[in-house]
Amino acid sequence: GDKAFAQFLTDEIKEEKKIQKHKSLPKVSGGWELEVHGTEAKLLKKIAGEKITVTFNINNSIPPSDDVDTQEEQKPDEQEPELTSTPNFVVEVIKDDTKQTLVLDCHYPEDEIGHEGEEESDIFTIREVSFQPTGESDWKDTNYTLNTDSLDWALYDHLMDFLADRGVDNTFADELIELSTALEHQEYIKFLEDLKSFVKCQ
């Protein structure tokens, strides 16, 4: 059984490498620096007295496909639908002279993906906004968190503009999808390779 499993994995890895679009991770334009730690990626940028970081994790970032339960069930000769990774991402804006970090929790609404025709609509939304103490890794649940569901639309628009002024706009969000998808695929191939070594290990 293990032999067949290892052989299947070998073929699968070959197939996945064939369809791999990016041999190295695509860059995000606008002067962002990328740091990757396993499945977590961080984009950093400094502008006039501010440090901006965008963090996302590729785990569970691929929306479930409607027609197929798992991507493994497809026959190799069928055209696989292109899997796209649309992770939630957290934008932190740190001003040099305050002890506060403004944290904006953003996500891609599932129904928005693929409506490129509508120029007006943003491809991502801000879900929550809060202030967190700068430099603390654990965020406090006691800090007020603003949920945007019930937000005055003018305030919401200003928040979106605030992000756009810092380079977090539709172009950025599109490139983040590219990057995340490439990273997810890279990790998936690595996972298959690790699984193969594990299965073959006697």
Side-chain angles (χ1 to χ4, degrees):
D2 283 4
K3 253 207 185 90
F5 191 11
Q7 187 49 54
F8 167 78
L9 287 168
T10 305
D11 297 342
E12 189 73 3
I13 291 163
K14 241 194 236 127
E15 281 304 306
E16 290 296 331
K17 282 191 168 159
K18 223 188 283 174
I19 59 170
Q20 193 173 15
K21 277 209 293 207
H22 303 280
K23 290 292 169 258
S24 59
L25 293 174
K27 296 257 187 292
V28 176
S29 62
W32 295 91
E33 255 174 70
L34 174 65
E35 283 177 11
V36 180
H37 307 283
T39 58
E40 188 179 82
K42 209 178 220 170
L43 291 156
L44 308 113
K45 175 179 185 173
K46 285 192 168 78
I47 48 173
E50 292 181 358
K51 184 174 147 203
I52 297 129
T53 64
V54 179
T55 313
F56 65 92
N57 195 316
I58 57 162
N59 279 338
N60 306 318
S61 65
I62 294 190
S65 49
D66 308 326
D67 48 343
V68 203
D69 288 341
T70 64
Q71 59 193 79
E72 271 74 63
E73 285 175 14
Q74 283 165 336
K75 309 282 171 292
D77 48 331
E78 284 178 21
Q79 188 51 50
E80 293 208 6
E82 215 167 277
L83 295 172
T84 306
S85 160
T86 50
N88 298 342
F89 59 97
V90 175
V91 183
E92 292 170 63
V93 181
I94 303 163
K95 288 199 185 273
D96 291 349
D97 49 2
T98 67
K99 299 272 182 287
Q100 297 266 55
T101 299
L102 182 65
V103 178
L104 300 105
D105 198 337
C106 305
H107 77 138
Y108 295 96
E110 268 161 43
D111 47 353
E112 286 300 315
I113 304 298
H115 297 304
E116 278 97 22
E118 305 157 23
E119 276 307 292
E120 269 73 88
S121 71
D122 290 299
I123 60 173
F124 70 97
T125 58
I126 302 170
R127 216 183 338 200
E128 290 182 346
V129 187
S130 68
F131 279 111
Q132 298 295 345
T134 299
E136 294 198 17
S137 52
D138 293 331
W139 290 342
K140 298 186 171 37
D141 290 337
T142 51
N143 288 5
Y144 178 74
T145 300
L146 175 69
N147 192 309
T148 56
D149 290 346
S150 52
L151 202 57
D152 176 340
W153 63 265
L155 175 52
Y156 182 82
D157 280 349
H158 278 297
L159 284 168
M160 287 299 269
D161 290 343
F162 175 84
L163 283 181
D165 289 343
R166 283 150 184 82
V168 180
D169 52 14
N170 276 350
T171 307
F172 173 86
D174 265 335
E175 291 181 358
L176 189 132
I177 291 177
E178 278 275 299
L179 170 64
S180 182
T181 302
L183 186 59
E184 203 283 333
H185 199 201
Q186 189 174 295
E187 286 294 316
Y188 176 59
I189 291 172
K190 193 164 149 290
F191 172 79
L192 293 178
E193 286 170 339
D194 290 347
L195 188 57
K196 187 177 99 178
S197 317
F198 187 83
V199 171
K200 282 173 85 169
C201 172
Q202 296 305 337

